[in-house]
Amino acid sequence: LQLASISCSNESDINHLNKELIEVYHELASKITPQKVRTERVAQKFSKHKKKRRRMKPKLPWFDAECINSKKNLNRLALKYGRNPLDSVIRLLYYSNRKEHKKLVKSKKSSFIG
């Protein structure tokens, strides 16, 4: 089927062309992605046994709940930033939160020691 030869004059033609294009993408993806990888991904999604999340335990006595929450927030932003490195909003949020986290940890440490 040649998609380029199909003319679109109304909304139903556009919807039909869109469906045809989606079918081409699915067919191409199924040829490229090995069957084993696809079935493993599906099995992981619907698996009853999920990974247990470990609770962050402070290694240092001055690293309290506020520091833990700050670190969790920073890690979440790091994941978002890693997925979308070109997104300027996420980048600014990540670097500003990282700066605030460092300030917080430094102040907690200095108040604990001093």
Coordinates of all heavy atoms in Angstrom, one line a residue, residues 53-93:
R53 N 10.8 -2.1 47.2 CA 11.6 -0.9 47.2 C 12.2 -0.8 48.6 O 11.6 -0.9 49.6 CB 10.7 0.3 47.0 CG 10.1 0.3 45.5 CD 9.3 1.5 45.3 NE 10.2 2.6 45.2 CZ 9.8 3.9 45.1 NH1 8.5 4.1 45.1 NH2 10.6 4.9 45.1
R54 N 13.5 -0.6 48.6 CA 14.2 -0.4 49.8 C 14.0 1.0 50.4 O 14.0 2.0 49.6 CB 15.7 -0.6 49.6 CG 16.0 -2.1 49.4 CD 17.5 -2.4 49.4 NE 18.3 -1.2 49.4 CZ 19.6 -1.2 49.1 NH1 20.2 -2.3 48.8 NH2 20.3 -0.1 49.2
R55 N 13.9 1.1 51.6 CA 13.8 2.4 52.3 C 15.2 3.0 52.4 O 16.1 2.3 52.8 CB 13.1 2.2 53.7 CG 12.6 3.5 54.2 CD 11.9 3.2 55.6 NE 12.5 4.2 56.5 CZ 13.4 3.9 57.5 NH1 13.8 2.6 57.6 NH2 13.8 4.8 58.3
M56 N 15.3 4.3 52.1 CA 16.6 4.9 52.3 C 16.9 5.0 53.7 O 16.2 5.6 54.5 CB 16.6 6.3 51.7 CG 16.6 6.3 50.1 SD 16.7 8.0 49.5 CE 18.3 8.4 50.0
K57 N 18.0 4.5 54.1 CA 18.5 4.5 55.5 C 19.7 5.5 55.6 O 20.6 5.4 54.8 CB 18.9 3.1 56.0 CG 17.8 2.2 56.0 CD 18.2 0.8 56.5 CE 17.1 -0.2 56.5 NZ 17.5 -1.5 56.8
P58 N 19.6 6.4 56.5 CA 20.7 7.4 56.6 C 22.0 6.7 57.1 O 21.9 5.9 58.1 CB 20.2 8.4 57.6 CG 19.1 7.7 58.3 CD 18.5 6.7 57.4
K59 N 23.1 6.9 56.4 CA 24.3 6.4 56.8 C 25.0 7.3 57.8 O 25.9 6.9 58.6 CB 25.2 6.2 55.6 CG 24.7 5.1 54.6 CD 25.6 5.0 53.5 CE 25.0 4.0 52.5 NZ 25.8 3.8 51.3
L60 N 24.6 8.6 57.8 CA 25.2 9.5 58.7 C 24.1 10.0 59.7 O 23.0 10.2 59.3 CB 25.8 10.7 57.9 CG 26.8 10.3 56.9 CD1 27.1 11.4 55.9 CD2 28.1 9.8 57.6
P61 N 24.5 10.3 60.9 CA 23.5 10.7 61.9 C 22.8 12.0 61.7 O 21.6 12.2 62.1 CB 24.3 10.7 63.2 CG 25.7 10.9 62.9 CD 25.8 10.2 61.5
W62 N 23.4 12.9 60.9 CA 22.7 14.2 60.7 C 21.9 14.2 59.4 O 21.2 15.1 59.1 CB 23.8 15.3 60.5 CG 25.0 14.9 59.7 CD1 26.2 14.4 60.2 CD2 25.1 14.9 58.3 NE1 27.0 14.2 59.2 CE2 26.4 14.5 58.0 CE3 24.3 15.3 57.3 CZ2 26.9 14.4 56.7 CZ3 24.7 15.2 56.0 CH2 26.0 14.8 55.7
F63 N 21.9 13.1 58.7 CA 21.0 12.9 57.5 C 19.6 12.5 57.9 O 19.3 11.3 58.0 CB 21.7 11.9 56.6 CG 21.3 12.0 55.1 CD1 21.9 12.9 54.3 CD2 20.2 11.3 54.6 CE1 21.5 13.0 53.0 CE2 19.8 11.4 53.3 CZ 20.5 12.3 52.5
D64 N 18.8 13.5 58.2 CA 17.5 13.2 58.8 C 16.4 13.0 57.7 O 16.7 13.0 56.5 CB 17.1 14.2 59.8 CG 17.0 15.6 59.2 OD1 17.2 15.8 58.0 OD2 16.7 16.6 60.0
A65 N 15.1 13.0 58.2 CA 14.0 12.8 57.3 C 13.9 13.9 56.2 O 13.5 13.7 55.1 CB 12.7 12.8 58.1
E66 N 14.2 15.1 56.6 CA 14.2 16.2 55.6 C 15.2 16.0 54.5 O 14.9 16.3 53.3 CB 14.4 17.6 56.4 CG 14.2 18.8 55.5 CD 14.4 20.1 56.3 OE1 14.9 20.0 57.5 OE2 14.2 21.1 55.7
C67 N 16.4 15.6 54.9 CA 17.4 15.3 53.9 C 17.0 14.1 53.0 O 17.2 14.1 51.8 CB 18.7 14.9 54.6 SG 19.5 16.3 55.4
I68 N 16.3 13.1 53.6 CA 15.9 11.9 52.8 C 14.8 12.4 51.8 O 14.9 12.0 50.6 CB 15.3 10.8 53.8 CG1 16.5 10.2 54.6 CG2 14.6 9.8 53.0 CD1 16.1 9.3 55.6
N69 N 13.9 13.2 52.2 CA 12.8 13.6 51.3 C 13.4 14.5 50.2 O 13.0 14.4 49.1 CB 11.7 14.4 52.1 CG 10.9 13.5 52.9 OD1 10.8 12.3 52.6 ND2 10.4 14.0 54.0
S70 N 14.4 15.3 50.6 CA 15.0 16.2 49.6 C 15.7 15.3 48.5 O 15.7 15.5 47.3 CB 16.0 17.1 50.3 OG 16.7 17.8 49.3
K71 N 16.4 14.3 49.0 CA 17.1 13.3 48.1 C 16.2 12.6 47.2 O 16.5 12.4 46.0 CB 18.0 12.4 49.0 CG 18.8 11.4 48.2 CD 20.0 12.1 47.5 CE 20.8 11.1 46.8 NZ 21.9 11.7 46.0
K72 N 15.0 12.1 47.8 CA 14.1 11.4 47.0 C 13.5 12.3 45.8 O 13.4 11.9 44.7 CB 12.9 10.9 47.8 CG 13.2 9.7 48.6 CD 11.9 9.3 49.4 CE 12.2 8.2 50.3 NZ 11.0 7.8 51.1
N73 N 13.2 13.5 46.2 CA 12.7 14.5 45.2 C 13.8 14.7 44.1 O 13.5 14.8 42.9 CB 12.4 15.8 45.9 CG 11.6 16.8 45.0 OD1 11.0 16.3 44.0 ND2 11.8 18.0 45.2
L74 N 15.0 14.9 44.6 CA 16.1 15.1 43.6 C 16.3 13.9 42.7 O 16.5 14.0 41.5 CB 17.4 15.3 44.4 CG 18.7 15.7 43.5 CD1 18.4 17.0 42.8 CD2 19.9 15.8 44.4
N75 N 16.2 12.6 43.2 CA 16.3 11.4 42.4 C 15.1 11.4 41.4 O 15.3 10.9 40.2 CB 16.3 10.2 43.3 CG 17.6 10.0 44.0 OD1 18.6 10.6 43.6 ND2 17.6 9.2 45.1
R76 N 13.9 11.7 41.8 CA 12.8 11.7 40.9 C 13.1 12.7 39.7 O 12.8 12.4 38.5 CB 11.5 12.1 41.6 CG 11.0 11.0 42.4 CD 9.6 11.4 43.0 NE 9.2 10.5 44.0 CZ 9.1 10.8 45.3 NH1 9.3 12.1 45.7 NH2 8.8 9.9 46.2
L77 N 13.5 13.9 40.1 CA 13.9 14.9 39.0 C 15.0 14.4 38.1 O 15.0 14.7 36.9 CB 14.2 16.2 39.7 CG 13.1 17.0 40.2 CD1 13.6 18.2 41.0 CD2 12.2 17.5 39.0
A78 N 16.0 13.7 38.7 CA 17.1 13.2 37.9 C 16.6 12.2 36.9 O 17.0 12.2 35.7 CB 18.1 12.5 38.8
L79 N 15.6 11.3 37.3 CA 15.0 10.4 36.3 C 14.3 11.1 35.2 O 14.4 10.8 34.0 CB 14.0 9.5 37.0 CG 14.6 8.3 37.8 CD1 13.5 7.6 38.6 CD2 15.4 7.4 36.9
K80 N 13.5 12.1 35.6 CA 12.8 12.9 34.5 C 13.8 13.6 33.6 O 13.6 13.7 32.4 CB 11.9 14.0 35.2 CG 10.6 13.4 35.8 CD 9.8 14.5 36.4 CE 8.6 14.0 37.1 NZ 7.8 15.1 37.6
Y81 N 14.8 14.2 34.2 CA 15.8 14.9 33.4 C 16.6 13.9 32.5 O 16.9 14.3 31.3 CB 16.8 15.7 34.3 CG 17.9 16.4 33.6 CD1 17.6 17.3 32.6 CD2 19.2 16.4 34.0 CE1 18.6 18.0 31.9 CE2 20.2 17.1 33.4 CZ 19.9 17.9 32.4 OH 20.8 18.6 31.7
G82 N 16.9 12.7 33.0 CA 17.5 11.7 32.2 C 16.7 11.3 31.0 O 17.2 11.0 29.9
R83 N 15.4 11.3 31.2 CA 14.5 10.9 30.1 C 14.3 12.0 29.1 O 14.0 11.7 27.9 CB 13.1 10.4 30.7 CG 13.1 9.1 31.4 CD 11.8 8.8 31.9 NE 11.9 7.7 32.9 CZ 11.3 7.6 34.0 NH1 10.5 8.6 34.4 NH2 11.4 6.6 34.8
N84 N 14.3 13.2 29.6 CA 14.1 14.4 28.7 C 15.2 15.4 28.9 O 15.0 16.5 29.5 CB 12.8 15.1 29.0 CG 11.6 14.1 28.9 OD1 11.5 13.4 27.9 ND2 10.7 14.1 29.9
P85 N 16.4 15.1 28.4 CA 17.6 16.0 28.7 C 17.4 17.4 28.0 O 18.1 18.3 28.3 CB 18.8 15.2 28.2 CG 18.2 14.2 27.2 CD 16.8 13.9 27.7
L86 N 16.6 17.5 27.0 CA 16.5 18.7 26.2 C 15.4 19.6 26.8 O 15.2 20.8 26.4 CB 16.2 18.5 24.8 CG 17.3 17.7 24.0 CD1 16.9 17.4 22.6 CD2 18.6 18.4 24.1
D87 N 14.6 19.1 27.8 CA 13.5 19.9 28.4 C 14.1 20.9 29.4 O 14.7 20.6 30.4 CB 12.6 19.0 29.1 CG 11.3 19.7 29.6 OD1 11.3 21.0 29.6 OD2 10.3 19.0 29.8
S88 N 14.0 22.2 29.0 CA 14.7 23.3 29.8 C 14.1 23.4 31.2 O 14.7 23.8 32.2 CB 14.7 24.6 29.1 OG 13.4 25.0 28.8
V89 N 12.7 23.2 31.3 CA 12.1 23.4 32.6 C 12.5 22.3 33.6 O 12.9 22.6 34.7 CB 10.5 23.3 32.4 CG1 9.8 23.3 33.7 CG2 10.0 24.4 31.5
I90 N 12.6 21.1 33.1 CA 13.0 20.0 34.0 C 14.5 20.2 34.4 O 14.9 20.0 35.5 CB 12.8 18.6 33.3 CG1 11.3 18.4 33.1 CG2 13.5 17.5 34.2 CD1 11.0 17.1 32.4
R91 N 15.3 20.7 33.4 CA 16.7 20.9 33.7 C 16.9 22.0 34.8 O 17.7 21.8 35.7 CB 17.5 21.3 32.4 CG 18.9 21.6 32.6 CD 19.7 21.9 31.3 NE 19.2 23.0 30.6 CZ 18.7 22.9 29.4 NH1 18.7 21.8 28.7 NH2 18.2 24.0 28.8
L92 N 16.1 23.1 34.6 CA 16.2 24.1 35.7 C 15.8 23.6 37.0 O 16.4 23.9 38.0 CB 15.4 25.3 35.2 CG 16.0 26.2 34.1 CD1 15.0 27.2 33.6 CD2 17.3 26.8 34.5
L93 N 14.7 22.9 37.0 CA 14.2 22.3 38.3 C 15.2 21.4 38.9 O 15.5 21.4 40.1 CB 12.9 21.5 38.1 CG 11.6 22.3 38.1 CD1 10.5 21.4 37.6 CD2 11.3 22.9 39.4

